[in-house]
Amino acid sequence: MAISVIDAATVKHTLTMPACIDLMEKIQTAISLGEIDLPLRSIQPVGQGAGFFGVMPGEVGSSALFGAKLFSHYPGNPSKGIAAIQGYVMLFDGASGTPKALVDAASITAIRTAAASGAATRRLARENASVLALLGYGVQAESHLEAMCSVRDICEVRVWGPSFDKAHAFAARYEAGLVRPVRTAADAVRGAHIVCAVSNASEPLIVVRDVSAGMHLNMVGAHTPHDREVDGETVGKARVYTEITKFALAEAGDLIRAIEEGAFSEERIVGEIGEVFAGTAPGRTSEDEVTLYENLGNAAQDLAAAGFVVARQPNALGYH
């Protein structure tokens, strides 16, 4: 049985950010309309606590494919020059159940995560938003910068992370004057129009005193009930949108801890971002509102992105 193995270079060449942003909007709309139903991902500690092994299964019926992302997440890897997320998205043919392709998971995750934030930002951020704060300087910071520049005219970027030297090195990779490193998270957030939190923080980096009217927040890094990147007061102040609400209430520490503190409640979630795309939930309704998108990622995004790449290779499988 022949199976295609698609590497990271092929993914990056094929899955452009603008195309993936459009694809993520399509997938999230289908999820919120009930056309795609996903189980909660399964994640367990491995390596004596050094990392995690995850399984994210699902089916994208309109593409006649199903499968799963099988991945490891070792947060300490980047300091060793190794990717934090490694693994494959495995695709099966929906008609026969035949395994068809293995697609590099790290590159798929990097692009589709930022593209999901890009799709949300395109609908929720102010049209004139031009100042971006990046809280983090890893792979997701790089891909989120590309995504934000794809949906808004960004003219100033502030990047912060625990190491100022690494933040400086990140900034140096870009056009002079576009990206500058800052010493504190507050220096990045204050006065920004869009904030992308892509860190491994367990305590808030974004606090309400630094949040200004009209700001849009993409919360990306807190994937467990114990992690958070934003304080409860900010969550309580914002118009909150989820990717999949039942998953967010089970996994998103930003929301879970705000609810535990009494600063927020489930009933105050405006809606899923797919409902905004579908026109069944309101997006931004004024220039002064603070909007917050909780981006956890899901298997349908991985499968759709992997299927997009596979369909554009020689001897394609016909997935679209």
Side-chain angles (χ1 to χ4, degrees):
M1 177 180 63
I3 185 167
S4 300
V5 180
I6 297 178
D7 62 14
T10 302
V11 171
K12 293 174 184 177
H13 175 75
T14 308
L15 187 62
T16 66
M17 186 60 70
C20 196
I21 289 172
D22 290 341
L23 182 61
M24 293 301 101
E25 179 166 330
K26 178 181 177 182
I27 288 300
Q28 288 306 130
T29 301
I31 290 171
S32 292
L33 290 177
E35 297 170 3
I36 297 174
D37 186 29
L38 301 170
L40 192 66
R41 75 186 99 199
S42 172
I43 298 178
Q44 67 181 68
V46 293
Q48 297 182 326
F52 303 88
F53 173 63
V55 180
M56 296 172 63
E59 180 179 15
V60 183
S62 62
S63 299
L65 62 89
F66 68 92
K69 180 166 74 174
L70 309 174
F71 67 98
S72 65
H73 180 207
Y74 276 57
N77 274 2
S79 65
K80 307 171 187 176
I82 306 171
I85 293 177
Q86 301 176 81
Y88 286 98
V89 179
M90 187 165 187
L91 299 180
F92 293 76
D93 180 75
S96 65
T98 303
K100 291 296 185 181
L102 288 170
V103 185
D104 177 72
S107 53
I108 288 289
T109 302
I111 299 167
R112 67 81 163 151
T113 304
S117 292
T121 301
R122 184 162 62 183
R123 292 298 185 97
L124 298 178
R126 292 181 300 172
E127 290 293 335
N128 63 351
S130 61
V131 180
L132 171 65
L134 294 173
L135 304 182
Y137 39 55
V139 170
Q140 281 300 332
E142 181 178 353
S143 57
H144 271 76
L145 176 52
E146 182 182 1
M148 297 306 106
C149 289
S150 296
V151 298
R152 289 295 184 269
D153 292 326
I154 302 298
C155 64
E156 179 186 346
V157 182
R158 307 153 182 179
V159 61
W160 172 86
S163 166
F164 183 77
D165 287 343
K166 290 182 179 179
H168 189 276
F170 179 94
R173 301 205 300 266
Y174 295 92
E175 177 184 349
L178 174 63
V179 184
R180 64 182 178 90
V182 294
R183 295 284 182 179
T184 69
D187 290 336
V189 173
R190 289 175 189 151
H193 303 150
I194 301 169
V195 179
C196 295
V198 289
S199 74
N200 292 318
S202 58
E203 293 300 328
L205 302 174
I206 302 166
V207 294
V208 71
R209 66 176 175 269
D210 298 325
V211 174
S212 55
M215 185 178 285
H216 173 64
L217 308 171
N218 291 310
M219 309 309 305
V220 185
H223 296 142
T224 78
H226 308 292
D227 296 331
R228 70 192 311 190
E229 296 177 294
V230 61
D231 69 354
E233 288 184 80
T234 299
V235 176
K237 177 180 179 178
R239 288 174 60 84
V240 173
Y241 299 84
T242 64
E243 184 181 88
I244 301 174
T245 295
K246 65 180 180 180
F247 291 0
L249 293 173
E251 296 183 339
D254 293 324
L255 304 189
I256 292 169
R257 294 179 67 179
I259 291 171
E260 291 173 347
E261 293 167 356
F264 188 67
S265 65
E266 176 182 347
E267 294 74 23
R268 293 182 56 197
I269 295 171
V270 178
E272 295 181 345
I273 194 64
E275 294 176 303
V276 177
F277 298 151
T280 58
R284 175 177 291 275
T285 60
S286 79
E287 291 290 294
D288 292 336
E289 290 172 342
V290 174
T291 54
L292 184 153
Y293 173 55
E294 195 67 40
N295 180 345
L296 288 174
N298 63 71
Q301 294 176 348
D302 292 312
L303 296 172
F308 180 97
V309 173
V310 170
R312 284 154 181 80
Q313 304 310 306
N315 303 314
L317 306 181
Y319 298 146
H320 298 286

